[in-house]
Amino acid sequence: MIWEVFRQAKTGEYHTHCGNVHAPDREMAKQFAAIQHGRRKPTNSLWVVPREEIGEIGSDEVAFGGTTDKSYRWATAYNTTGTDAREVVESEDEQVTAEKQRGDD
């Protein structure tokens, strides 16, 4: 039987798929997963799941993301005018002046 293994590196992080193990039962699968996938990198916890218990929902079955236009969330949706904000320019000028004073030319 094939068991899929998901690893969590630190508490609070997501579990990510890291591989699989072949084992006859759950206890052996957990032991194999700990040996094969728990020792290679820092590991907080492992999930061991029978492969046939994992279900998939594809985009052909469900429309993900809804129908609302949310392009405003991406920086590519904004038009730039080519002018920098005054604060940015002043900050860059201050940095150049400070570097000259230190002799970092």
Side-chain angles (χ1 to χ4, degrees), residues 2-91:
I2 299 175
W3 300 77
E4 299 299 331
V5 182
F6 299 84
R7 186 178 70 80
Q8 180 189 47
K10 295 179 183 176
T11 302
E13 290 185 354
Y14 292 109
H15 283 76
T16 56
H17 185 259
C18 62
N20 58 45
V21 294
H22 296 259
D25 59 34
R26 182 175 307 278
E27 288 307 311
M28 288 296 293
K30 288 165 63 175
Q31 290 179 11
F32 290 161
I35 292 168
Q36 293 178 15
H37 301 288
R39 297 189 317 179
R40 295 181 183 172
K41 295 181 180 177
T43 302
N44 182 59
S45 72
L46 294 172
W47 289 347
V48 181
V49 183
R51 177 178 277 177
E52 61 271 1
E53 294 297 321
I54 297 176
E56 179 182 1
I57 301 172
S59 60
D60 55 336
E61 298 173 296
V62 176
F64 293 110
T67 58
T68 306
D69 177 22
K70 297 181 182 175
S71 61
Y72 64 88
R73 293 182 177 181
W74 305 102
T76 58
Y78 293 101
N79 294 327
T80 57
T81 61
T83 58
D84 294 327
R86 185 180 72 236
E87 295 86 5
V88 173
V89 173
E90 290 172 357
S91 176

